[in-house]
Amino acid sequence: KIYFSCVFFQNSKSAQGLVGLKNLGNTCFMNSILQCLSNTQSLRDYCLHNSHRRDLNNNSRTNTALMEEFAKLIQIMWTSTSSEAVSPSEFKTQIQRYAPRFVGYNQQDAQEFLRFLLDGLHNEVNRVTVRPRGTMEDFDHLPDEEKGKKMWSKYLEREDSKIVDVFVGQLKSSLTCSHCVLTHTLWFLSLFVCFKGYGEVSLMDCMRLFTKEDVLDGDEKPTCYRCKARRRCTKKFTIQKFPKILVLHLKRFSEARRTSKLSTFVNFPMKDLDLREFASENSTNAVYNLYAVSNHSGTTMGGHYTAYCRNPSSGEWYTFNDSRVTPMSSSQVRSSDAYVLFYELATSSRM
Ligand SMILES: *[C@@H]1O[C@H](CO)[C@@H](O)[C@H](O)[C@H]1NC(C)=O
Ligand SMILES: *[C@@H]1O[C@H](CO)[C@@H](O)[C@H](O)[C@H]1NC(C)=O
Ligand SMILES: *[C@@H]1O[C@H](CO)[C@@H](O)[C@H](O)[C@H]1NC(C)=O
Ligand SMILES: *[C@@H]1O[C@H](CO)[C@@H](O)[C@H](O)[C@H]1NC(C)=O
């Protein structure tokens, strides 16, 4: 304890943001994610500079309290001169209002929480206040690259916020019908790449598994939109647009009732995660560095979440265990308990 307060004292000027969050009763899943987001520099600065105020949707139909409480919390975490842990209870009230599943004090899934939180924040600071009427434009005649750009700008006509700027990328899913020999290209956006590994695997293996060409046959045969018949198809994912922040969810819990946890050691790099081989087109800008991890230890029912984050100011790594914040060595970051990984595109990196 004395050691920790010493560290705080010495670093209070050079490295802020080292403020713990009180556990309100099984809220470590929330605290872990909040610390990862607090160390996401562009999102932190958006809150610290009050830029979110400009974007708040003031029409009476939209509640803006979630973004406001989130920003308030980040501001306290980065301006507090005391090492006293902060209570996120006002924030919790707002996330409960937005997503009633977080009412109460049950252990929750950190990755689901992150998804709901980003979605909620996005809705309150969406720069689009009146969404255009959905028209189905046909981009099929366009070359793939152009089609991708068109789909992206269509998306921005409806969903355009700081959250999108930072976290959203574009995946390309190509479906090739065996009959038409046409590539039916679907475009969609995803915050998460989810996968399941067996034994010890590398993150690159997981990515290769996720993006490998799949044959859809038998019961899985999709209906080709061209020939209107169910056909054997091949499906393949590539990344069309790389997000600034790439959040990777290492899928450790089985879909069915989440009773079993896979403790596969996923070997992931701290630096230079090079995803260029997954790009739809030659891309030079697809190298990522790790800056935060949500760690889940224990079993599904009785687990505990912590976060390891690299402080954007000092570059040092810290463990955030609810109200406790302690320095850690970067060599401890990689473990079989890593659950959600936060990577930052190297060119937008601060270091
Ligand atoms: C919403 O209100 C705030 C504070 O009253 C103001 O600063 C901001 O410009 C308004 N935002 C929009 C999008 O009108
Ligand atoms: C991508 O790069 C490879 C190797 O540098 C090159 O052979 C290929 O023609 C490039 N493709 C495109 C679409 O630019
Ligand atoms: C992450 O979780 C594991 C499993 O319980 C634990 O042993 C380890 O100490 C945690 N790491 C940190 C740095 O808190
Ligand atoms: C987190 O703090 C609790 C309570 O002090 C402690 O029992 C636990 O070992 C810590 N966990 C990690 C991973 O540091």
Side-chain angles (χ1 to χ4, degrees):
K1 281 249 154 65
I2 290 165
Y3 172 67
F4 300 162
S5 45
C6 254
V7 167
F8 264 112
F9 183 72
Q10 287 169 353
N11 285 340
S12 63
K13 283 203 186 73
S14 56
Q16 290 148 340
L18 303 176
V19 173
L21 293 169
K22 287 187 182 144
N23 191 322
L24 309 172
N26 280 326
T27 53
C28 56
F29 71 91
M30 178 173 94
N31 292 347
S32 162
I33 292 298
L34 286 172
Q35 293 291 2
C36 293
L37 293 179
S38 163
N39 287 282
T40 301
Q41 195 176 20
S42 49
L43 186 61
R44 177 202 67 173
D45 291 349
Y46 182 63
C47 298
L48 285 186
H49 302 155
N50 275 321
S51 309
H52 66 285
R53 294 240 172 101
R54 262 197 331 251
D55 296 332
L56 286 175
N57 287 324
N58 295 342
N59 65 53
S60 54
R61 278 168 297 134
T62 319
N63 195 319
T64 56
L66 180 63
M67 183 71 226
E68 286 173 283
E69 285 304 334
F70 176 77
K72 209 187 284 175
L73 190 59
I74 298 293
Q75 290 174 358
I76 295 170
M77 290 162 81
W78 284 89
T79 55
S80 173
T81 48
S82 132
S83 57
E84 189 87 5
V86 173
S87 167
S89 68
E90 307 275 295
F91 167 81
K92 184 171 188 290
T93 305
Q94 293 310 322
I95 190 76
Q96 287 173 187
R97 177 194 53 74
Y98 182 75
R101 63 163 60 199
F102 297 111
V103 170
Y105 298 95
N106 295 323
Q107 178 68 282
Q108 303 266 1
D109 186 286
Q111 166 283 129
E112 266 171 28
F113 169 75
L114 173 63
R115 221 158 6 141
F116 276 93
L117 174 56
L118 291 181
D119 188 59
L121 296 177
H122 164 71
N123 281 322
E124 296 187 1
V125 292
N126 194 350
R127 297 170 190 124
V128 178
T129 47
V130 183
R131 291 194 170 97
R133 293 239 170 168
T135 49
M136 280 304 291
E137 270 176 72
D138 192 359
F139 298 132
D140 271 348
H141 56 286
L142 298 174
D144 272 7
E145 188 173 347
E146 214 167 309
K147 203 190 291 183
K149 291 204 176 99
K150 288 266 192 226
M151 295 299 280
W152 182 251
S153 57
K154 281 294 265 189
Y155 177 77
L156 293 182
E157 279 173 22
R158 310 177 69 82
E159 317 294 339
D160 181 10
S161 70
K162 186 68 182 180
I163 304 299
V164 171
D165 298 346
V166 174
F167 293 97
V168 180
Q170 189 181 22
L171 269 183
K172 171 180 172 181
S173 158
S174 313
L175 203 59
T176 312
C177 166
S178 53
H179 184 257
C180 298
V181 207
L182 264 174
T183 303
H184 173 201
T185 313
L186 283 169
W187 306 87
F188 64 92
L189 306 133
S190 172
L191 286 176
F192 297 95
V193 182
C194 309
F195 32 66
K196 206 179 248 181
Y198 304 93
E200 178 176 334
V201 293
S202 74
L203 188 58
M204 287 303 268
D205 292 339
C206 294
M207 292 292 293
R208 286 184 188 118
L209 192 70
F210 175 76
T211 53
K212 88 172 191 347
E213 189 166 273
D214 244 351
V215 177
L216 304 175
D217 204 356
D219 289 346
E220 292 183 315
K221 265 193 288 206
T223 305
C224 172
Y225 83 119
R226 268 287 145 83
C227 58
K228 310 278 188 253
R230 290 187 66 197
R231 303 281 184 195
R232 180 178 182 278
C233 288
T234 57
K235 189 184 77 176
K236 183 166 172 53
F237 288 120
T238 50
I239 301 173
Q240 183 71 20
K241 183 181 181 297
F242 286 90
K244 289 198 181 71
I245 299 294
L246 177 73
V247 183
L248 295 173
H249 161 214
L250 305 179
K251 208 167 176 182
R252 294 200 179 278
F253 301 105
S254 63
E255 300 290 344
R257 286 275 31 121
R258 303 204 197 124
T259 43
S260 58
K261 182 183 167 186
L262 301 159
S263 53
T264 312
F265 182 80
V266 180
N267 198 344
F268 54 90
M270 305 267 298
K271 276 200 160 68
D272 301 328
L273 172 68
D274 187 345
L275 300 182
R276 280 177 295 188
E277 70 175 88
F278 307 111
S280 308
E281 287 124 28
N282 283 352
S283 172
T284 48
N285 215 357
V287 179
Y288 286 88
N289 294 323
L290 187 77
Y291 71 94
V293 178
S294 173
N295 189 54
H296 181 269
S297 56
T299 61
T300 328
M301 303 324 248
H304 182 58
Y305 285 100
T306 52
Y308 320 142
C309 306
R310 192 182 66 197
N311 187 281
S313 315
S314 69
E316 300 295 325
W317 285 84
Y318 293 87
T319 301
F320 296 84
N321 182 4
D322 288 329
S323 51
R324 278 165 299 276
V325 183
T326 48
M328 72 185 285
S329 150
S330 59
S331 65
Q332 290 171 284
V333 171
R334 299 189 313 147
S335 81
S336 58
D337 295 289
Y339 183 48
V340 185
L341 308 177
F342 291 73
Y343 277 96
E344 175 182 52
L345 202 58
T347 47
S348 67
S349 175
R350 60 260 182 174
M351 270 167 289

